[in-house]
Amino acid sequence: MNGHPTREEDFDLFALGALDDGEKQTLEAHLAGCSDCLRKVAQARGRIALLAFAAPRVEPSPELKDRLMRQIHGTAKRDAAEAIGETRPDRGRFGRWWAAVVVPVGAALVFASIFLWNENRRLDQQLARLRTALEQEQKQVEAARSVARLMAAPDTKVVALASMPGMPKGAARVAYNAQMGILVYDGQLESAPANKSYQLWLVPVTGAPISAGIVNSAGGETSYSMMKLTPGINAKAFAVTLEPAGGMSHPTGPQVLVGPVS
Ligand SMILES: [Zn+2]
């Protein structure tokens, strides 16, 4: 095979990686200097890729796999026989013709199911990652919009919280819009003692304090958080208390920061 391959199916076999090593090396060497054959290899690859995409995502039947494997082995054996002087032109011709049909289709189905199975798994994983990233991004955008709406609303109240005597030092601000049910906390506090958490409360005009979550969980740093509460609750004050780690359903510990709504 010093010139162009004489058998058209060699391009398919090559594209499938089904040529034996000697034929493969000869064709590779030839392709380095022949653009015509290079194009034929590209066309063969395209055909196989099309078959791969057109193939249903099923395991090829054992018979098909078997025929494919027999064909590949049979071709190798016959070539070996030719090399030692046994010539069987009729069978050879038939084998090659058969190879042109069975090998590309059969191998394409085998490769297609493996390729598509892998591809599908990869895409599923990629989709899950993208969906998570998108959800996070949507949450951030939504939060940013809420804060922007909150700050722009004329009925939003900004309350300053001051530290109580004998308590950890700090200060905070709460922006709250009762109608929207949105609260933004921005505060700084000394680190909480071990096994304790700072918890923010909305003290309504009537009824028991409502938890607005844990704040300042990283000691010493400014904590910024947005909370969504049930809309329509009028606040008379905001307070931060020291509670067992993780917070409580109602305030049990001392008040650290307090700010009345004016
Ligand atoms: Zn050529």
Side-chain angles (χ1 to χ4, degrees):
M1 214 203 293
N2 290 326
H4 306 298
T6 51
R7 299 167 305 216
E8 284 298 310
E9 70 264 28
D10 278 350
F11 295 107
D12 283 327
L13 291 167
F14 180 76
L16 281 164
L19 278 186
D20 67 42
D21 287 348
E23 286 177 317
K24 187 174 152 242
Q25 276 162 18
T26 310
L27 183 50
E28 267 169 356
H30 174 75
L31 287 173
C34 180
S35 58
D36 279 352
C37 288
L38 208 55
R39 201 173 55 243
K40 282 182 180 172
V41 165
Q43 283 166 350
R45 285 196 173 123
R47 274 198 299 279
I48 286 152
L50 274 178
L51 269 171
F53 281 108
R57 254 183 71 219
V58 292
E59 270 287 295
S61 69
E63 291 81 16
L64 189 56
K65 269 194 206 166
D66 194 43
R67 265 196 326 196
L68 169 65
M69 294 329 279
R70 262 207 321 265
Q71 183 53 46
I72 289 170
H73 289 296
T75 303
K77 239 183 259 165
R78 188 178 40 69
D79 285 354
E82 277 172 5
I84 58 165
E86 285 180 43
T87 48
R88 280 179 293 177
D90 290 344
R91 269 202 69 175
R93 218 170 243 287
F94 178 72
R96 281 297 182 178
W97 172 84
W98 198 219
V101 178
V102 173
V103 172
V105 174
L109 284 172
V110 173
F111 288 120
S113 54
I114 294 165
F115 169 78
L116 288 176
W117 182 78
N118 271 320
E119 192 65 4
N120 200 53
R121 212 174 45 150
R122 198 178 63 78
L123 286 174
D124 278 350
Q125 287 167 349
Q126 208 171 40
L127 197 63
R129 275 200 303 274
L130 281 171
R131 201 175 284 142
T132 308
L134 188 66
E135 274 165 12
Q136 277 169 357
E137 208 159 285
Q138 276 170 341
K139 270 186 201 149
Q140 281 171 4
V141 168
E142 215 179 287
R145 275 206 193 116
S146 297
V147 172
R149 274 210 316 276
L150 177 82
M151 292 313 183
D155 57 340
T156 293
K157 298 212 158 101
V158 178
V159 180
L161 280 70
S163 56
M164 303 301 279
M167 286 291 126
K169 296 275 170 288
R173 261 181 331 174
V174 166
Y176 176 63
N177 189 298
Q179 238 186 320
M180 295 178 186
I182 297 170
L183 179 154
V184 168
Y185 171 91
D186 166 19
Q188 214 211 336
L189 268 169
E190 279 177 17
S191 298
N195 301 318
K196 297 280 181 186
S197 292
Y198 291 121
Q199 191 169 3
L200 176 65
W201 303 92
L202 180 158
V203 185
V205 174
T206 53
I210 297 158
S211 173
I214 304 297
V215 293
N216 294 94
S217 43
E221 285 169 37
T222 300
S223 152
Y224 182 85
S225 51
M226 191 200 74
M227 263 82 62
K228 283 202 166 177
L229 303 168
T230 311
I233 298 163
N234 288 313
K236 66 175 178 194
F238 291 93
V240 172
T241 61
L242 198 58
E243 301 293 342
M248 301 294 279
S249 59
H250 60 278
T252 63
Q255 292 185 337
V256 179
L257 300 174
V258 177
V261 178
S262 52

